[in-house]
Amino acid sequence: DIVMTQSPDSLAVSLGERATINCKSSRSVLYSSNNRNYLAWYQQKPGQPPRLLINWASTRASGVPDRFSGSGSGTDFTLTISSLQAEDLAVYYCQQYYSSPTTFGQGTKVEI
Amino acid sequence: QLQLQESGPGLVKPSETLSLTCTVSGDSFSSNNYYWGWIRQPPGKGLEWIGSISYSGSTFYNPSLKSRVLTSVDTSKNQISLKLSSVTAADTAVYYCARQDSFCSGGNCYLRWFDPWGQGTLVTVSS
């Protein structure tokens, strides 16, 4: 199985500041034939199910604010919240879908 | 708008079988572009994929749970079901169902991200 490791485990950020979350995979999730990274990001607010934010490592899902951006390739990925809002308090997860079983990172808690 | 709703007993005894149903409302249930997945989250912990099933009944399972998992689909009711046998306290979790994007070609299907998710249901394994 591909192991997904996120850092840090938790992050305290002031409102309006930038938040950066890292995700590292134990093997590359870049599919060379289409040059796509098989990685997604989710946001989970307290008491709610996860919500898809980003797929293909950098494509925002429908309705996701543009302050959320994803970057990276191969084994190292980053989710950036450019200007943290109060409603961004949540746990963020990365997921690889390059190979089965699909696996998730352990989560990063963003605190205000 | 697509909605998913999990249902089933909130308490299961050790060694018994956990049974859950996910009812899908809205379109896309019969689409060949999607699978329907089960994911669980132990209290205060991360996410674990259990398995996924297509409208036609094709399945994928996490090898770590495969020997204990069975999923099925009821197309007449727009429902998918999960059975997890021989449960222990380690199976206590919030169980989610979710639509899973997929791509099928040449007889092979490749599963992708989950969107949207149901609200989840907490299942506690205890005597």
Side-chain angles (χ1 to χ4, degrees), chain A residues 42 44 49-50 55 93 95 97, chain B residues 41 96 112-114 117-118:
Chain A
Y42 298 85
Q44 185 176 31
N55 53 29
Y93 294 93
Q95 175 215 359
Y97 47 93
Chain B
Q41 184 173 37
Y96 295 101
R112 299 172 174 174
W113 55 84
F114 300 97
W117 298 55

Side-chain angles (χ1 to χ4, degrees), chain B residues 91-105:
Chain B
D91 295 309
T92 293
V94 175
Y95 285 76
Y96 295 101
C97 61
R99 187 179 68 180
Q100 188 171 21
D101 193 88
S102 68
F103 171 73
C104 297
S105 175

Side-chain angles (χ1 to χ4, degrees), chain B residues 47-120:
Chain B
L47 301 163
E48 180 181 34
W49 172 66
I50 301 169
S52 300
I53 187 167
S54 71
Y55 175 79
S56 61
S58 175
T59 57
F60 289 86
Y61 296 132
N62 191 326
S64 68
L65 296 167
K66 187 174 183 178
S67 64
R68 298 194 291 130
V69 173
L70 181 66
T71 59
S72 60
V73 59
D74 186 336
T75 56
S76 67
K77 296 180 179 178
N78 277 23
Q79 289 180 337
I80 60 170
S81 296
L82 169 71
K83 292 187 186 298
L84 181 66
S85 62
S86 304
V87 298
T88 69
D91 295 309
T92 293
V94 175
Y95 285 76
Y96 295 101
C97 61
R99 187 179 68 180
Q100 188 171 21
D101 193 88
S102 68
F103 171 73
C104 297
S105 175
N108 295 314
C109 289
Y110 306 91
L111 307 186
R112 299 172 174 174
W113 55 84
F114 300 97
D115 178 50
W117 298 55
Q119 285 299 308

Side-chain angles (χ1 to χ4, degrees), chain A residues 9-84:
Chain A
D9 289 334
S10 65
L11 181 64
V13 181
S14 300
L15 294 177
E17 295 298 305
R18 176 186 299 262
T20 301
I21 300 168
N22 301 302
C23 175
K24 188 176 184 65
S25 59
S26 61
R27 285 189 280 137
S28 175
V29 299
L30 173 64
Y31 192 41
S32 56
S33 66
N34 60 12
N35 202 35
R36 283 184 152 182
N37 288 282
Y38 284 51
L39 185 112
W41 287 98
Y42 298 85
Q43 175 193 64
Q44 185 176 31
K45 296 182 179 181
Q48 295 186 19
R51 169 199 179 196
L52 177 70
L53 291 179
I54 286 171
N55 53 29
W56 302 122
S58 60
T59 302
R60 272 188 300 275
S62 176
V64 174
D66 60 8
R67 64 180 181 273
F68 292 92
S69 63
S71 62
S73 185
T75 61
D76 293 281
F77 300 90
T78 300
L79 174 69
T80 302
I81 310 172
S82 61
S83 177
L84 195 76

Side-chain angles (χ1 to χ4, degrees), chain B residues 16-32:
Chain B
E16 295 189 346
T17 296
L18 177 161
S19 296
L20 296 174
T21 298
C22 173
T23 302
V24 180
S25 58
D27 59 13
S28 79
F29 186 72
S30 60
S31 170
N32 292 325

